[in-house]
Amino acid sequence: MVKHVKGTRLSTVYGPLPSWYLGSYLGIDPMMPPRRCYFNCIYCPYDEGEHRGRAINAEVIREDLIRHIKDLNVKFVLIDGIGEPSFNEELADIVEAIERVKAEMGLRLSIALRSCAPHLLLKRLGSALRLVDLVIVKVDAVTDHVVSLINDPPSLDYIRGQVDTLKAIKEHAKLAIKTMLLRTHEVPLNTDPIELRKLLELLVNVSPDLVILDTPLWSAQVNALDRGLLEEIGDILADHLGWDRVRVRGVHEEVEEVIWNAEGIEDRLINILLRVPLSREAIRRIGGDIALETFNRLLLRSIVKEIGNGYFVLKN
Ligand code: SF4
């Protein structure tokens, strides 16, 4: 795996990166590549998982975090990376280790965690859920048929108790639901009027602290929604939840720039592109000209590949 980048230190910690719904963050990958995920999304930017790779233990993450966090002005650490965090059996220990680093270093950081398997997440975190400031759960569709088409999970059983699971998370942590809206030329997927109505009903019923409406700009497999349509859907939700609890891709833009220093910029870029698809424009915006020049060298060495619409990830 990642044979093209011999000599690069792959780290469990990547970033910092800006986010249009979180603010600046440092990513933490508790699984490491290759992708091992509960879902197999139609728009996934990573090659299909091979059901191997290694789950990372809390001590490795603690050491990587201490090494990276110095002098960084980020608001969040986001447990995310490539794959499903709750597949790591030490997830509770990892959250506790991050909390200890915060205390030892006097950091005012929030902990966010992204998951597409909230039923597993609840079991895995136990009481450590209280230490997570924001749990971001992916919900793209509601009916069995459309969930299968978009997310292709191994079992649809979890959908039956999904609302209760989401509400249970909300009792202990702030909850965000992130929804990727999309369609193809032939199939409306979650923009089908009936599916969309059911999805909005679920969002209003769960009433999370935040709804994040996104669309997969990088995908060559599906069509992203334009800003106008996303905003219309955001409007409908905001009528029920208020605009302060709704974020919409393209409407809420990144406000913070993250400028990297030149030191270790190639390793930084490689570790990010392993987990986050980026466009040239984004690379320049968050890393300056030096990041773009570094990226162009990676492209010439065939270390990165375009996945669609001018977005790039690391080759594996
Ligand atoms: S949840 Fe994310 S990592 Fe998992 S398959 Fe979907 S897009 Fe890929």
Side-chain angles (χ1 to χ4, degrees):
M1 168 62 210
V2 205
K3 50 187 177 288
H4 308 277
V5 287
K6 277 184 186 147
T8 295
R9 188 184 182 284
L10 295 186
S11 171
T12 60
V13 173
Y14 58 97
L17 285 163
S19 154
W20 54 271
Y21 57 86
L22 270 188
S24 55
Y25 73 94
L26 197 62
I28 293 182
D29 185 347
M31 296 301 293
M32 296 294 275
R35 182 190 97 192
R36 278 174 299 160
C37 194
Y38 191 70
F39 284 174
N40 182 26
C41 300
I42 190 172
Y43 53 79
C44 186
Y46 317 113
D47 293 339
E48 197 162 337
E50 298 166 39
H51 299 288
R52 61 182 178 84
R54 56 200 171 107
I56 303 300
N57 76 39
E59 184 54 26
V60 172
I61 289 179
R62 196 186 79 85
E63 286 171 7
D64 279 353
L65 184 59
I66 289 170
R67 196 168 19 249
H68 283 81
I69 200 75
K70 281 184 213 140
D71 307 325
L72 285 183
N73 185 21
V74 290
K75 282 188 180 160
F76 279 90
V77 287
L78 172 65
I79 303 172
D80 187 353
I82 184 165
E84 169 52 44
S86 64
F87 281 4
N88 188 320
E89 292 179 7
E90 289 192 25
L91 189 61
D93 296 339
I94 290 169
V95 170
E96 283 163 6
I98 297 169
E99 195 60 33
R100 277 200 305 280
V101 171
K102 279 173 54 183
E104 285 161 17
M105 298 180 75
L107 301 169
R108 295 169 67 84
L109 275 176
S110 301
I111 301 176
L113 191 155
R114 192 266 321 150
S115 173
C116 64
H119 53 302
L120 295 179
L121 187 74
L122 262 182
K123 278 190 214 155
R124 194 69 89 204
L125 278 180
S127 62
L129 176 59
R130 283 195 300 268
L131 300 175
V132 179
D133 299 284
L134 182 68
V135 177
I136 304 166
V137 176
K138 180 191 279 285
V139 180
D140 292 340
V142 175
T143 61
D144 289 7
H145 178 60
V146 182
V147 170
S148 297
L149 287 176
I150 297 179
N151 304 121
D152 189 22
S155 159
L156 292 163
D157 289 349
Y158 76 96
I159 293 179
R160 263 35 96 193
Q162 190 173 36
V163 167
D164 290 342
T165 307
L166 293 168
K167 287 182 175 174
I169 290 175
K170 224 178 91 176
E171 282 174 23
H172 302 289
K174 280 195 173 172
L175 174 70
I177 297 182
K178 186 172 183 195
T179 297
M180 205 61 94
L181 292 161
L182 60 147
R183 59 187 169 203
T184 69
H185 286 304
E186 295 85 26
V187 193
L189 296 171
N190 58 9
T191 57
D192 168 78
I194 294 173
E195 184 68 28
L196 185 58
R197 182 170 53 75
K198 289 186 174 178
L199 185 56
L200 295 178
E201 280 170 3
L202 177 142
L203 295 171
V204 171
N205 180 6
V206 175
S207 189
D209 299 277
L210 190 65
V211 177
I212 302 156
L213 297 182
D214 202 352
T215 195
L217 296 174
W218 61 84
S219 177
Q221 278 68 45
V222 292
N223 297 337
L225 262 58
D226 62 40
R227 185 199 135 133
L229 194 47
L230 285 171
E231 190 168 4
E232 267 180 46
I233 296 167
D235 261 333
I236 297 170
L237 262 181
D239 280 347
H240 296 275
L241 303 177
W243 267 113
D244 58 327
R245 286 204 277 160
V246 180
R247 294 281 178 285
V248 180
R249 159 87 70 178
V251 176
H252 298 94
E253 296 287 355
E254 283 148 19
V255 288
E256 291 165 277
E257 293 194 339
V258 175
I259 296 292
W260 305 326
N261 59 31
E263 195 186 331
I265 203 157
E266 183 174 302
D267 281 7
R268 189 188 300 273
L269 205 47
I270 284 172
N271 274 292
I272 291 172
L273 287 167
L274 197 53
R275 285 96 176 191
V276 184
L278 289 179
S279 65
R280 281 193 172 87
E281 187 202 331
I283 291 168
R284 186 203 290 276
R285 185 158 38 81
I286 58 188
D289 286 342
I290 188 164
L292 194 57
E293 285 159 21
T294 308
F295 166 79
N296 286 334
R297 283 198 295 276
L298 296 179
L299 196 58
L300 277 176
R301 286 159 58 199
S302 297
I303 289 172
V304 291
K305 64 176 180 183
E306 185 175 354
I307 50 171
N309 307 324
Y311 281 78
F312 296 83
V313 295
L314 203 75
K315 270 189 185 172
N316 67 8

